């Protein structure tokens, strides 16, 4: 039995670094190229497993080399990949150009992720066996909706990262136990820009943990006003996937029986560790590093 199941996207990030972004129609020489397993679903699964969770990933990759390498990366992090579907459609890819100074462009080709338009029996069975389900919005909305309803009906805790940002149908929010938006996503869904007010609005519909980057997070429920969850003061070098690390580690802690304040503190610590290193899923810390960090600041 997996404590945490992640139904979400798996992409290979194809990252080119350049001195500057090319103009329209222009070809320029790049500097470096690297391939990193990514996609919000895979990132969250890897973060949860590295933090000590028992994690299964439910998603889809192509029957191709990129798919095999993503599965190997998930397995190397300790993630159970037996529920991953192999498709004739190629593995999803994110084509990322990063200029010196951090400006970037990203084109995501969903590929195999886009074939998941309904809840497959293997994925439903994985949810049935889990304590906590992690969802994001990089799969087609119908499967996210179906998974949330399936989990809700069975009492499986459902955590939704509403990224990429989009308005959410009422029935989806009603089936979610905890919504974890960043500032931009919260403003779009709640219809107000101020994070405190957005947290108040969203908390009427489900528990909400609104992340604010280096300013930490706000946690609110229907019965409580938003409370601040402090971030740890660190020097960030790359905040890519900080949110995914935060959610993955939060879920691993909750599934292991931690109370919400303790789970949020572990998630903040893990995200603070991850932003001090370059990379995405590859910068998610192990349980031992999180423990050592928390021991050092206690
Ligand atoms: P991403 O899209 O890059 O995955 P996000 O926008 O979803 O990130 P953020 O709100 O930026 O998520 O960050 C999530 C959490 O990570 C924050 O609530 C905080 O605890 C931690 N964090 C992010 N940036 C920093 C930072 N510079 N220093 C310390 N902690 C940070």
């Amino acid at each position: 039995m997996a404590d945490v199941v992640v139904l979400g996207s798996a992409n290979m990030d194809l990252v080119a670094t350049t001195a500057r972004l090319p103009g329209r129609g222009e070809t320029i020489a790049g500097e470096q190229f690297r391939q990193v397993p990514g996609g919000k679903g895979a990132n969250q699964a890897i973060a949860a497993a590295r933090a000590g969770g028992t994690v299964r990933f439910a998603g889809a990759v192509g029957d191709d080399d990129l798919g095999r390498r993503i599965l190997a990366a998930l397995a190397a992090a300790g993630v159970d990949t037996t529920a991953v579907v192999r498709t004739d459609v190629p593995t999803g890819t994110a084509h990322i150009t990063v200029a010196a100074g951090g400006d970037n462009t990203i084109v995501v080709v969903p590929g195999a992720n886009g074939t998941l338009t309904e809840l497959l029996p293997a994925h439903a069975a994985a949810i049935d066996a889990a304590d906590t389900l992690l969802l994001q919005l990089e799969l087609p909305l119908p499967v996210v909706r179906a998974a949330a309803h399936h989990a809700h009906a069975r009492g499986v805790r459902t955590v939704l990262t509403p990224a990429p940002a989009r308005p959410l149908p009422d029935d989806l929010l009603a089936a979610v136990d905890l919504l974890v938006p960043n500032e931009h996503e919260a403003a779009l869904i709640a219809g107000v820009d101020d994070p405190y007010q957005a947290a108040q609005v969203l908390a009427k519909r489900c528990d909400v943990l609104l992340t604010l980057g280096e300013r930490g997070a706000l946690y609110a429920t229907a019965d409580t006003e938003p409370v601040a969850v402090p971030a740890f003061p660190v020097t960030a070098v790359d905040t890519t996937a900080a949110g995914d690390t935060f959610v993955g580690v939060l879920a691993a802690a909750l599934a292991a029986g931690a109370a919400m304040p303790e789970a949020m503190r572990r998630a903040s610590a893990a995200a603070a560790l991850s932003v001090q290193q370059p990379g995405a899923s590859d910068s998610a810390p192990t349980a031992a590093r999180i423990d050592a960090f928390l021991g050092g600041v206690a």
Side-chain angles (χ1 to χ4, degrees), residues 40 182 211-214 216-217 231-232 234 236 239-244 246 268 271-272 275:
K40 297 193 80 65
N182 67 14
T211 66
L212 297 164
E214 64 187 357
F232 290 93
V234 296
T239 61
T240 312
D244 292 332
F246 185 89
S268 300
V275 302

Side-chain angles (χ1 to χ4, degrees), residues 154-253:
R154 285 157 185 79
V156 176
R157 182 196 291 116
T158 302
V159 180
L160 172 64
T161 303
R166 52 157 295 156
L168 296 181
D170 285 339
D171 68 281
L172 174 56
L173 270 184
V176 166
D177 295 295
L178 178 65
L179 187 71
V180 191
N182 67 14
E183 204 169 353
H184 167 65
E185 293 143 12
L188 187 127
I189 298 164
V192 282
D193 284 339
D194 176 69
Y196 192 91
Q197 283 178 9
Q200 282 180 314
V201 170
L202 293 172
K204 295 196 175 90
R205 302 166 81 182
C206 60
D207 291 356
V208 59
L209 182 53
L210 196 169
T211 66
L212 297 164
E214 64 187 357
R215 286 172 292 138
L218 288 170
Y219 176 60
T221 71
D223 308 321
T224 57
E225 286 295 300
V227 292
V229 182
F232 290 93
V234 296
T235 304
V237 298
D238 183 353
T239 61
T240 312
D244 292 332
T245 298
F246 185 89
V247 172
V249 175
L250 182 90

Side-chain angles (χ1 to χ4, degrees), residues 80-105:
D80 179 331
T81 60
T82 52
V84 177
V85 172
R86 308 297 294 270
T87 67
D88 293 339
V89 177
T91 296
T93 44
H95 304 254
I96 305 173
T97 305
V98 185
D103 262 3
N104 64 52
T105 63

Side-chain angles (χ1 to χ4, degrees), residues 5-225:
V5 61
V6 184
L7 178 61
S9 56
N11 294 323
M12 189 60 84
D13 291 352
L14 308 172
V15 187
T17 56
T18 59
R20 63 175 176 83
L21 296 181
R24 189 172 174 197
E26 186 186 14
T27 301
I28 61 170
E31 288 165 357
Q32 286 180 347
F33 175 67
R34 62 181 198 278
Q35 301 181 44
V36 191
K40 297 193 80 65
N43 286 347
Q44 293 187 1
I46 288 171
R50 286 175 67 96
T54 306
V55 184
R56 182 175 290 170
F57 181 67
V61 296
D63 191 10
D64 50 27
D65 183 51
L66 295 183
R68 278 185 281 283
R69 283 164 46 205
I70 289 171
L71 292 180
L74 286 162
V79 177
D80 179 331
T81 60
T82 52
V84 177
V85 172
R86 308 297 294 270
T87 67
D88 293 339
V89 177
T91 296
T93 44
H95 304 254
I96 305 173
T97 305
V98 185
D103 262 3
N104 64 52
T105 63
I106 304 177
V107 176
V108 176
V109 182
N113 300 300
T115 67
L116 294 178
T117 53
E118 59 185 36
L119 187 60
L120 302 176
H123 294 169
I127 294 170
D128 292 347
D131 170 272
T132 299
L133 167 66
L134 295 186
L135 294 168
Q136 318 79 31
L137 298 176
E138 288 186 344
L139 296 183
L141 190 62
V143 74
V144 175
R145 232 167 161 168
H149 284 290
H150 185 89
H152 188 65
R154 285 157 185 79
V156 176
R157 182 196 291 116
T158 302
V159 180
L160 172 64
T161 303
R166 52 157 295 156
L168 296 181
D170 285 339
D171 68 281
L172 174 56
L173 270 184
V176 166
D177 295 295
L178 178 65
L179 187 71
V180 191
N182 67 14
E183 204 169 353
H184 167 65
E185 293 143 12
L188 187 127
I189 298 164
V192 282
D193 284 339
D194 176 69
Y196 192 91
Q197 283 178 9
Q200 282 180 314
V201 170
L202 293 172
K204 295 196 175 90
R205 302 166 81 182
C206 60
D207 291 356
V208 59
L209 182 53
L210 196 169
T211 66
L212 297 164
E214 64 187 357
R215 286 172 292 138
L218 288 170
Y219 176 60
T221 71
D223 308 321
T224 57
E225 286 295 300

